[in-house]
Amino acid sequence: DGEGKTKEEFLSLNKTIDAAWAREEDPRPVGGENFADVRDRVIPVIETHLERYAGQSLLYVIHGNVIRAILGHILMMPLRLVHRLEQDCCALTTVRHDHDSGRWTAASVNKPLLK
């Protein structure tokens, strides 16, 4: 279980995960989710919000791996590579969705809020 742990603590308990990321795989920790699982859980919610709140700005306060999964999806990255996206605590990632074209833009990624 990686909840509430630093990346270093998580990797010390899941030694095979870092090696799998190095091989550009999307491993699933024991009792946890891989990026595909996170994407499959979160993207339907985002898509529902796109329809329900069209034209409005939304703010999500979420975990770094959820941000990685969302960015990977909207930028059409292979999920085996999203672990490469840096996402610090208390950082802002801003994306925009053009409803006419259906395209996403990543306006800022991992912008520090606190210094």
Side-chain angles (χ1 to χ4, degrees):
D1 178 356
E3 193 166 336
K5 293 178 177 49
T6 66
K7 184 176 181 179
E8 292 75 23
E9 291 169 333
F10 170 79
L11 291 174
S12 73
L13 297 171
N14 295 275
K15 296 183 187 312
T16 61
I17 297 292
D18 208 29
W21 283 339
R23 292 188 304 269
E24 296 188 338
E25 297 172 355
D26 184 21
R28 180 179 292 112
V30 175
E33 297 177 303
N34 63 7
F35 287 111
D37 296 330
V38 174
R39 178 205 56 210
D40 293 347
R41 176 171 53 87
V42 172
I43 295 302
V45 174
I46 301 289
E47 290 173 345
T48 297
H49 291 171
L50 281 176
E51 291 177 24
R52 184 177 299 155
Y53 304 109
Q56 297 182 42
S57 296
L58 302 175
L59 172 69
Y60 296 92
V61 179
I62 52 181
H63 188 275
N65 281 344
V66 175
I67 296 169
R68 288 179 184 94
I70 292 169
L71 281 173
H73 176 77
I74 68 174
L75 297 174
M76 295 184 269
M77 290 177 66
L79 286 174
R80 61 188 174 79
L81 301 178
V82 298
H83 72 276
R84 294 181 181 183
L85 296 168
E86 288 190 23
Q87 189 60 53
D88 298 323
C89 294
C90 298
L92 183 65
T93 294
T94 306
V95 297
R96 292 188 181 91
H97 183 263
D98 182 308
H99 289 277
D100 294 331
S101 68
R103 291 188 180 167
W104 288 94
T105 302
S108 69
V109 176
N110 200 36
K111 183 178 178 181
L113 293 177
L114 306 172
K115 290 192 181 214

